[in-house]
Amino acid sequence: MGEDRLDKRFLLLMYALSFLLLREWLLPVMALTDTNYLGVFLVFIALSFLIGIVRMRWWFSIPIKAFYILWSLHFIYFHTPLLSIQKINILFTNLFSNVSMIANGDWDNITNPFRTLLFFVLLWMTIYLIRHWVEVRKNILLFYAATVVFIAFLDTFSPYEADGAIFRIMVSGLLLIGFLFIMKLYEKHERQMSGRLFALLSLPMLFAVGISGAFASLMPERAPAWPDPVPFIKSMASGEGAGLGNGAYMAQSGYDPDDSKLGGPFAKDDTVVFKATVPQKQYWKIETKNTYTSKGWEQVSGEVEPAIYAPGTLIANDSLETEDMAGKTVQAEIQMSEVLPFIVYPYGTTKINTRSDVVLLNEEDSGRFWAVANGEKIALDTFVTELKEPEYSLKALRETSMADYELERQNFSQYLQLPEQLPDRVRELAKSIAEKEESVYEKAKAIERYFARNGFTYDQYNVATPKGNEDYVDQFLFETKNGYCDNFSTSMVVMLRAVDIPARWVKGFAPGESKLNSRGEREHTITNNEAHSWVEAYMPGIGWMPFEPTIGFSNLSGIRFDLDLDITDPEAPDMGEKELPEKTEQQRIDPTKASKGVSTVVEAASKWVNNNKWYVMIGMLIIGSAIWKFYSVRGKWLPKVVLRTLKTEQGDWRSFVKQYKSLLKQLERFGLKRTNGMTLSEYAKTVDTYFGGNKMSMLTKEYEKGLYGGQTDIEDWHVLQKIWEDLINRATG
């Protein structure tokens, strides 16, 4: 077996184990961020390792990787494997738009495609480091230890379950370290790599790792020796461990049907309320309320009998009046841990399946569902909802107008109610936000985005409660600008109603934290901390649509982008909501004229690049070609750099080793390649035969005396250095 062939097989084995380790880094990232494109990144890793194995030239490998990244961005954000010039143009415009944001330090607003590009670059750099550790250092211990620490940290402080991951990391990591150690032994003793000998040396290690791995997997799992530190750390970090310190009452997070008095701080509660097995994140709805009292919310309903449904029958719900409900039916399996007064259900629910002796009642005005058995209200332990996730046409949404409400048969008076004592400045603010927009949808989105762009902050502890004649919304909008979901959602509902858009306040739970269960299904854990409130606004001709104004939460409404959008449009798919926020007066004032000038120059440069992106790409291609040409003739200029860099007056063994190895590389570039199994002495004779004399043999003799005999004291340093310089110059051609 040839050395080169075995080297490639060896590299294939090393990179396969490295691939498994790097995959363990991606799995928690994909799980914790609900990213559904693990395969795209794994293919990039495999492609990069394959390029390393076949020794592909950089001027060929870099364009291949760059093209794959471009295709991946196109596939992830436009959901089509076929490249489109129009979509590539949109993509490049989006990427270039981040230049000014980065220059201004506005990292929070960089677009999603640019974040993905940065992640690919990070993967690229990591793979390069792994290749260096494997091929040059032959020591992967640092990366192995970092992998163990990373996964252990996530297993402790995040919802990610790393039970199987720890086992896989230990086995693949130990094998990788062992194989590299064997390879290092070959290199140290200048031995030709034999497949038979390599297998014999590997057998004890394989036996030890296999036995220990099997033993570890079969042993019973012991309970933790110490209590879980996470709850204590979280409580201390949030200040709960030390108490409030001011004697104020702090409520616990969780669902409470009484919302007559809102405000005040609350303490976190990690108690699990229910678990839901469903492919995608969902908002879990319980009820809506229609009457704002200036202090809180109440539900005022007429004397209407609740609708009755048998389990598994089609549900008629006004929240389902969406423009498109023809999607694939999905099931959500819900396992309750705590008792709630009403049933939780996701948007798009069409059926609720549970035990046959139960009937389901639905109060249509409030959206509440509850179960009754034998004439008594009961709590369901488990049930399954069938849903078709609503999808809203952006084109239809942007065609909505205020005049369309006159065509609706529904009476919206209860969803336009506002207290008489509501301060005028609340109405004036709402009108100033919405008056610039044309459609009902864009007016609602403008109000939804208002909070994130005008100095509001999310806070669960330093939250005021209105006193006397104070209005809850007015206090939040103009006085404190500090609060949690109830503050944001109530304020949005009130402002929507102030501009005559029907809206209602919604209560339920946020999506919670997710992980893959033992069956490989996505399981979401919802605790009392996920108790949440948000907004529903009625879009004429479409139906009730959810909105999410609370800072730090994402609107999960499915939008079908059936319009050609400019990349700066707030609704651009997965790239939207990334406009630069309006600057406050303090932010508009730059600290120095110099920084202002730099910012202006950067913005102008970014705009020019954006308008001339094809010229920029052609210029980059020309520059890349020039660099490649410069690199291709490195055999002419690189030796001169080596001579200047490594030439020294005072010789020592370390300097001699560097010079000798640099000479070997230059001879190989010159065309005098060292064949398989050739010793250094034999190679030196080949070089001397080509150039004449015995200069290479003299250098090699000194090198071997120091390497194998330990004689590192060089007496004729100046003579050896002149020989080295002469051979370097002659190998330059």
Side-chain angles (χ1 to χ4, degrees):
M1 180 178 293
E3 183 181 7
D4 186 60
R5 184 180 178 187
L6 184 59
D7 281 348
K8 288 186 177 180
R9 290 185 179 183
F10 176 79
L11 283 178
L12 180 61
L13 177 60
M14 296 303 98
Y15 286 153
L17 293 172
S18 301
F19 177 87
L20 294 177
L21 282 181
L22 197 51
R23 177 178 176 270
E24 297 301 333
W25 285 76
L26 289 183
L27 288 177
V29 173
M30 301 296 113
L32 295 175
T33 58
D34 284 328
T35 303
N36 297 319
Y37 296 97
L38 174 63
V40 172
F41 297 105
L42 290 179
V43 170
F44 178 75
I45 296 173
L47 177 65
S48 300
F49 282 142
L50 181 62
I51 287 174
I53 292 173
V54 300
R55 305 297 187 190
M56 191 178 293
R57 295 290 185 177
W58 67 268
W59 46 266
F60 194 53
S61 63
I62 290 179
I64 289 177
K65 293 178 184 178
F67 178 80
Y68 180 82
I69 292 175
L70 175 64
W71 177 87
S72 299
L73 294 174
H74 187 280
F75 176 72
I76 291 172
Y77 292 100
F78 296 108
H79 311 291
T80 173
L82 299 178
L83 294 177
S84 162
I85 296 297
Q86 180 183 7
K87 290 183 172 61
I88 291 176
N89 188 41
I90 294 175
L91 195 58
F92 274 115
T93 303
N94 176 273
L95 295 176
F96 283 125
S97 69
N98 292 273
V99 175
S100 59
M101 298 183 200
I102 295 173
N104 293 324
D106 193 9
W107 293 96
D108 291 339
N109 287 288
I110 61 176
T111 60
N112 287 339
F114 193 74
R115 295 173 193 266
T116 307
L117 175 63
L118 292 179
F119 187 69
F120 269 112
V121 173
L122 178 62
L123 269 182
W124 194 332
M125 294 170 61
T126 304
I127 294 167
Y128 179 82
L129 281 175
I130 292 174
R131 290 188 57 194
H132 174 77
W133 287 326
V134 169
E135 297 185 32
V136 181
R137 300 290 300 276
K138 295 182 175 55
N139 189 334
I140 201 71
L141 182 61
L142 178 62
F143 181 67
Y144 173 57
T147 305
V148 173
V149 171
F150 175 68
I151 297 300
F153 184 86
L154 290 182
D155 183 62
T156 304
F157 295 100
S158 79
Y160 182 68
E161 297 289 344
D163 298 338
I166 293 294
F167 178 78
R168 294 190 299 268
I169 291 169
M170 297 303 293
V171 172
S172 58
L174 289 174
L175 290 175
L176 186 56
I177 291 173
F179 287 139
L180 287 173
F181 180 75
I182 295 173
M183 184 61 185
K184 186 177 287 187
L185 288 177
Y186 274 107
E187 187 180 72
K188 180 179 180 180
H189 296 285
E190 292 282 341
R191 294 291 301 271
Q192 181 180 355
M193 183 176 286
S194 165
R196 181 181 179 84
L197 182 58
F198 181 80
L200 289 174
L201 290 174
S202 302
L203 280 177
M205 179 191 64
L206 292 171
F207 179 78
V209 173
I211 292 297
S212 59
F215 186 74
S217 62
L218 294 175
M219 284 291 291
E221 192 172 329
R222 295 186 60 186
W226 296 309
D228 186 2
V230 177
F232 173 76
I233 295 173
K234 286 184 175 180
S235 65
M236 294 303 295
S238 61
E240 297 167 23
L244 285 174
N246 57 7
Y249 169 73
M250 179 177 280
Q252 290 290 118
S253 62
Y255 171 77
D256 185 350
D258 184 6
D259 302 295
S260 57
K261 293 183 179 179
L262 298 178
F266 69 85
K268 292 183 178 180
D269 182 1
D270 293 324
T271 303
V272 176
V273 181
F274 64 95
K275 293 184 178 181
T277 304
V278 63
Q280 301 292 337
K281 284 184 176 181
Q282 306 290 334
Y283 266 44
W284 303 96
K285 184 176 175 180
I286 294 181
E287 63 175 334
T288 65
K289 294 191 174 180
N290 58 11
T291 303
Y292 175 62
T293 65
S294 82
K295 303 294 183 184
W297 286 94
E298 296 177 356
Q299 174 61 27
V300 179
S301 301
E303 297 181 0
V304 179
E305 291 294 323
I308 302 175
Y309 298 98
T313 58
L314 193 64
I315 293 173
N317 191 308
D318 62 1
S319 294
L320 307 180
E321 297 172 15
T322 57
E323 188 271 347
D324 189 347
M325 289 290 294
K328 179 182 177 182
T329 299
V330 177
Q331 285 192 341
E333 181 181 336
I334 300 170
Q335 178 75 44
M336 300 299 301
S337 300
E338 294 287 316
V339 176
L340 293 175
F342 305 104
I343 294 174
V344 295
Y345 58 95
Y347 278 90
T349 294
T350 57
K351 295 179 182 179
I352 299 178
N353 300 301
T354 185
R355 37 193 257 216
S356 58
D357 63 330
V358 168
V359 294
L360 303 171
L361 302 184
N362 171 228
E363 188 178 70
E364 294 183 2
D365 282 352
S366 65
R368 297 169 180 156
F369 283 87
W370 65 95
V372 174
N374 299 322
E376 294 185 359
K377 184 177 180 180
I378 64 167
L380 297 176
D381 295 328
T382 61
F383 57 96
V384 177
T385 67
E386 295 183 18
L387 64 138
K388 293 183 178 179
E389 296 181 346
E391 188 179 60
Y392 303 86
S393 163
L394 183 59
K395 181 179 180 181
L397 288 169
R398 289 193 168 181
E399 290 175 351
T400 56
S401 68
M402 298 300 294
D404 293 338
Y405 285 116
E406 298 178 3
L407 305 177
E408 296 286 341
R409 297 180 180 180
Q410 185 175 350
N411 182 2
F412 293 111
S413 59
Q414 62 176 319
Y415 303 117
L416 295 171
Q417 171 274 336
L418 289 173
E420 294 182 359
Q421 66 270 28
L422 181 71
D424 290 338
R425 61 180 181 175
V426 175
R427 299 178 188 271
E428 293 169 359
L429 175 63
K431 292 177 181 177
S432 67
I433 298 170
E435 64 184 359
K436 300 177 184 178
E437 309 298 338
E438 296 293 333
S439 68
V440 176
Y441 173 71
E442 288 170 312
K443 291 177 185 290
K445 291 297 289 185
I447 294 175
E448 182 188 48
R449 288 191 291 261
Y450 170 78
F451 304 97
R453 301 178 177 183
N454 289 276
F456 290 81
T457 57
Y458 182 89
D459 195 333
Q460 299 169 345
Y461 306 106
N462 302 311
V463 183
T465 303
K467 300 177 181 179
N469 294 327
E470 284 184 313
D471 182 88
Y472 178 71
V473 169
D474 181 81
Q475 181 190 60
F476 175 65
L477 290 177
F478 298 100
E479 304 297 335
T480 65
K481 291 191 173 184
N482 203 51
Y484 43 86
C485 58
D486 291 348
N487 300 88
F488 290 94
S489 57
T490 299
S491 298
M492 181 174 177
V493 172
V494 169
M495 287 199 287
L496 286 171
R497 293 181 176 186
V499 293
D500 298 323
I501 297 177
R504 59 192 185 190
W505 194 60
V506 192
K507 288 190 65 179
F509 289 89
E513 297 180 331
S514 68
K515 65 178 182 180
L516 294 178
N517 60 20
S518 59
R519 295 174 295 178
E521 300 169 325
R522 181 70 62 182
E523 183 179 85
H524 305 262
T525 300
I526 292 86
T527 68
N528 278 324
N529 289 331
E530 275 72 55
H532 192 50
S533 61
W534 60 96
V535 178
E536 285 180 0
Y538 192 88
M539 299 292 107
I542 296 173
W544 290 99
M545 181 177 181
F547 290 85
E548 179 53 273
T550 304
I551 292 175
F553 290 77
S554 299
N555 193 335
L556 300 181
S557 298
I559 301 294
R560 186 171 70 250
F561 297 94
D562 45 6
L563 288 175
D564 292 331
L565 300 177
D566 184 82
I567 201 66
T568 59
D569 194 298
E571 297 298 325
D574 286 325
M575 308 173 189
E577 310 297 335
K578 295 295 180 183
E579 295 177 309
L580 287 171
E582 296 179 7
K583 302 293 183 181
T584 62
E585 190 64 31
Q586 183 178 2
Q587 290 172 318
R588 290 195 186 100
I589 303 174
D590 293 319
T592 63
K593 292 182 179 180
S595 63
K596 182 177 180 180
V598 171
S599 176
T600 303
V601 170
V602 170
E603 290 180 3
S606 176
K607 184 177 180 181
W608 183 88
V609 170
N610 189 41
N611 294 333
N612 300 275
K613 48 185 169 297
W614 291 111
Y615 294 105
V616 172
M617 292 179 64
I618 293 173
M620 292 175 64
L621 184 62
I622 294 173
I623 294 173
S625 301
I627 294 174
W628 172 79
K629 181 63 177 178
F630 184 68
Y631 178 78
S632 65
V633 296
R634 66 192 184 282
K636 300 291 185 181
W637 55 265
L638 187 58
K640 298 178 182 178
V641 177
V642 172
L643 285 173
R644 288 180 175 272
T645 305
L646 298 181
K647 186 176 180 179
T648 176
E649 294 298 329
Q650 296 181 351
D652 54 29
W653 171 249
R654 181 175 296 180
S655 300
F656 179 69
V657 170
K658 290 181 179 179
Q659 291 180 346
Y660 186 80
K661 289 185 175 180
S662 69
L663 176 59
L664 292 177
K665 291 181 179 179
Q666 180 57 28
L667 289 170
E668 184 176 353
R669 284 192 291 266
F670 183 70
L672 295 173
K673 296 186 181 295
R674 185 181 170 193
T675 60
N676 297 331
M678 181 181 286
T679 65
L680 286 175
S681 297
E682 292 171 342
Y683 180 62
K685 292 179 181 179
T686 302
V687 174
D688 288 337
T689 301
Y690 183 85
F691 288 121
N694 64 342
K695 293 183 177 181
M696 187 64 186
S697 296
M698 292 175 62
L699 290 179
T700 302
K701 182 179 180 180
E702 291 295 331
Y703 179 74
E704 289 181 334
K705 283 168 58 179
L707 183 64
Y708 302 119
Q711 301 177 25
T712 57
D713 295 331
I714 302 175
E715 297 179 357
D716 300 326
W717 168 254
H718 293 289
V719 174
L720 294 176
Q721 181 158 254
K722 287 182 179 179
I723 293 174
W724 171 74
E725 291 181 22
D726 180 62
L727 287 174
I728 285 283
N729 287 322
R730 296 176 75 176
T732 304

